[in-house]
Amino acid sequence: MPISGFPEWLPAQRIIEQRVIDRIRSTFELYGFAPLETRSVEPLPTLLSKGETSKEVYLLHRLQGAPDEASGDDQLGLHFDLTVPFARYVVENAGKLVFPFRRYQIQKVWRGERPQEGRYREFLQADIDVVNRDNLPFHYDTEMPLVIGDALSGLPIPAARIQVNNRKVCEGFYRGLGLTDTEQVLRTVDKLDKIGPARVAEQIVETAGASEAQAAACLDLAAISAEDASFVDAVRKLGVEDPLLDEGLEELVRVVETAREHAPGLVAAELKIARGLDYYTGTVYETQLRGYERFGSVCSGGRYDNLASSGKDRFPGVGISIGVSRMLGVLFGQQALSVSRSVPTCVLVALPHEEQRVACDRIAASLRRRGIPTEVAPTAAKFGKQIQYADRRGIPYVWFPGADGEPDSVKDIRSGDQVSADAASWQPPAEDLHPVVSGA
């Protein structure tokens, strides 16, 4: 019985997912990120200290556990993202790591959200982060979108548009307006796409002690968008001044202008982007697929200066995460991705008689040694039925062992072409060797 929010892909979809993961992983490694996997659980106090997540955390306890196991500081929860466990890992292993430390992590996470298209309670994320001891140079903030743009541009998916903002811009602006509870304003502005500007303005007044004029100014800031540095002039026209605002604008310009130079059209400044998690302190990212904007962000992250610390040591970082399951769930739901076959098999070796299975296994082994995915027919049925079996599974080639001294032959069952072949040298066309993923 299916459980809502816990996706189980069909084989064809799983092949697509693995191809996507392969592309993402190879791109991350191309940029020098090292692989890492952390445990699935964290102490509950650690999970609850990083933002408004208490409603989303899944708790872990034994069915027959003692009553005191279900409460207290020792209680464990499944991680809801990969950044919090990564920060904990850095602190615990700081003496063994070389800084700045660049890592990627492709792993499942769990979040108690209301399931809907593209949103799950168990899902796969692919993260990259760079952390350093004491101070992290800002150029890493400008690198993050370029890595993601590179990874996603190599996939048969709609073009990505990475929206960036800087929390210093927002917090400095709110301070300049005279507002003190800047975190509450940020959390409220983050709901813009969900509840609309009118309701956001009401909540800023209700929860952050703002006047209607101050709330209106917050919305004016959130409405600013640009693909170049012109957003700075738009902010200045609002007439608000604050040193933190100046610092944030300068940083945001660097991110946007760097992307314009290396990947035109990839990045745009969107001053409504806030990100719901409290640990972000500067640059924040959200990514939408063009034509799929209504489904929201499929890749997000940001700068965090205070998430990881131990005594006098501080480990600031910046990271960004691709919601692999979220992105694929949306594209699967819109039939926007397909694969040429639902099995890896390229060749089916036909079985004339059960007594010849050992000989057919040898043929298959010879093909496999040269990297050709091969299987032997399950039964010695009539050749027509064996061809039908291959056709149903999408296997493009059927191999026929030679009889009475005749050479072997291989048949392309799509075209009907059949030629003599030697298992030690025959090679299929490159496009047939493995399943090919394509977009709609």
Side-chain angles (χ1 to χ4, degrees):
M1 177 180 175
I3 301 176
S4 177
F6 293 83
E8 294 179 318
W9 306 132
L10 292 170
Q13 294 171 319
R14 177 62 175 154
I15 287 175
I16 293 171
E17 182 182 51
Q18 288 181 316
R19 293 292 185 274
V20 169
I21 293 169
D22 288 345
R23 168 65 189 185
I24 292 171
R25 180 175 59 239
S26 64
T27 304
F28 289 171
E29 292 185 353
L30 200 60
Y31 282 81
F33 291 89
L36 188 67
E37 182 168 312
T38 56
R39 66 197 186 203
S40 298
V41 297
E42 296 293 334
L44 190 58
T46 300
L47 295 174
L48 297 184
S49 67
K50 308 307 178 185
E52 290 189 324
T53 56
S54 59
K55 296 179 181 178
E56 299 179 357
V57 174
Y58 281 108
L59 299 181
L60 192 73
H61 65 87
R62 294 185 298 131
L63 183 62
Q64 301 296 332
D68 60 353
E69 285 187 26
S71 62
D73 289 347
D74 294 333
Q75 192 170 15
L76 300 177
L78 294 170
H79 59 218
F80 59 84
D81 75 354
L82 299 178
T83 306
V84 170
F86 173 59
R88 185 266 311 158
Y89 177 92
V90 168
V91 171
E92 291 180 0
N93 294 277
K96 305 172 187 176
L97 302 177
V98 178
F99 293 98
F101 179 48
R102 301 163 69 86
R103 85 83 171 85
Y104 76 86
Q105 202 167 334
I106 301 175
Q107 206 171 334
K108 290 284 185 72
V109 302
W110 294 266
R111 195 172 295 177
E113 294 188 307
R114 181 174 63 86
Q116 52 188 296
E117 187 169 18
R119 284 199 177 275
Y120 304 108
R121 293 186 282 181
E122 177 186 69
F123 52 98
L124 187 70
Q125 287 192 177
D127 283 30
I128 49 172
D129 286 82
V130 182
V131 296
N132 200 27
R133 194 187 296 270
D134 298 327
N135 294 291
L136 181 70
F138 187 78
H139 64 79
Y140 291 111
D141 291 48
T142 70
E143 180 188 29
M144 290 289 142
L146 303 181
V147 181
I148 296 301
D150 198 347
L152 298 183
S153 66
L155 296 170
I157 63 174
R161 182 176 185 265
I162 302 178
Q163 302 172 322
V164 298
N165 193 8
N166 193 302
R167 282 202 168 185
K168 295 175 185 176
V169 171
C170 299
E171 292 183 28
F173 187 87
Y174 304 153
R175 284 187 198 174
L177 287 174
L179 297 172
T180 55
D181 193 351
T182 57
E183 288 189 0
Q184 180 59 47
V185 181
L186 271 171
R187 284 194 290 267
T188 307
V189 170
D190 194 46
K191 302 175 184 177
L192 255 174
D193 290 338
K194 294 180 180 179
I195 64 176
R199 187 70 187 117
V200 164
E202 291 176 9
Q203 289 194 4
I204 292 174
V205 172
E206 293 168 4
T207 63
S211 67
E212 291 185 3
Q214 289 171 322
C218 293
L219 290 178
D220 289 339
L221 179 73
I224 295 173
S225 171
E227 293 189 357
D228 56 24
S230 62
F231 66 86
V232 176
D233 291 336
V235 174
R236 296 300 185 199
K237 287 180 181 177
L238 298 179
V240 176
E241 295 184 1
D242 185 87
L244 189 63
L245 172 62
D246 297 339
E247 185 180 333
L249 288 173
E250 181 183 342
E251 291 182 352
L252 189 54
V253 166
R254 288 182 61 184
V255 175
V256 172
E257 290 300 311
T258 300
R260 282 191 75 206
E261 178 182 349
H262 295 282
L266 175 65
V267 168
E270 289 280 355
L271 271 58
K272 67 179 179 180
I273 302 300
R275 302 294 302 133
L277 295 169
D278 290 345
Y279 54 68
Y280 293 122
T281 56
T283 309
V284 286
Y285 316 94
E286 287 194 357
T287 307
Q288 296 179 340
L289 299 181
R290 295 183 187 271
Y292 291 79
E293 289 85 357
R294 67 189 184 280
F295 294 104
S297 179
V298 298
C299 174
S300 57
R303 175 82 173 219
Y304 47 92
D305 286 324
N306 307 307
L307 183 59
S309 61
S310 176
K312 294 184 295 182
D313 291 324
R314 191 173 65 103
F315 303 94
V318 62
I320 192 165
S321 170
I322 302 173
V324 178
S325 300
R326 173 163 173 70
M327 179 176 70
L328 290 179
V330 167
L331 295 174
F332 288 158
Q334 301 299 307
Q335 286 79 50
L337 286 174
S338 62
V339 66
S340 58
R341 58 183 187 266
S342 60
V343 295
T345 312
C346 176
V347 178
L348 176 76
V349 178
L351 184 64
H353 304 285
E354 191 61 40
E355 294 76 14
Q356 292 179 253
R357 182 171 292 279
V358 172
C360 291
D361 285 340
R362 288 196 199 101
I363 293 170
S366 179
L367 292 168
R368 291 181 193 126
R369 278 194 293 271
R370 294 186 298 104
I372 302 171
T374 306
E375 62 181 274
V376 178
T379 60
K382 292 180 179 179
F383 280 162
K385 288 190 175 181
Q386 295 188 49
I387 292 172
Q388 286 178 356
Y389 172 81
D391 186 46
R392 285 197 304 271
R393 304 186 73 207
I395 301 170
Y397 296 97
V398 175
W399 191 281
F400 297 99
D404 301 324
E406 293 293 319
D408 292 1
S409 63
V410 64
K411 181 172 185 173
D412 183 337
I413 65 173
R414 299 160 300 183
S415 65
D417 294 340
Q418 185 167 341
V419 297
S420 297
D422 182 348
S425 59
W426 178 83
Q427 191 73 25
E431 62 270 19
D432 289 334
L433 187 59
H434 301 290
V436 176
V437 177
S438 56

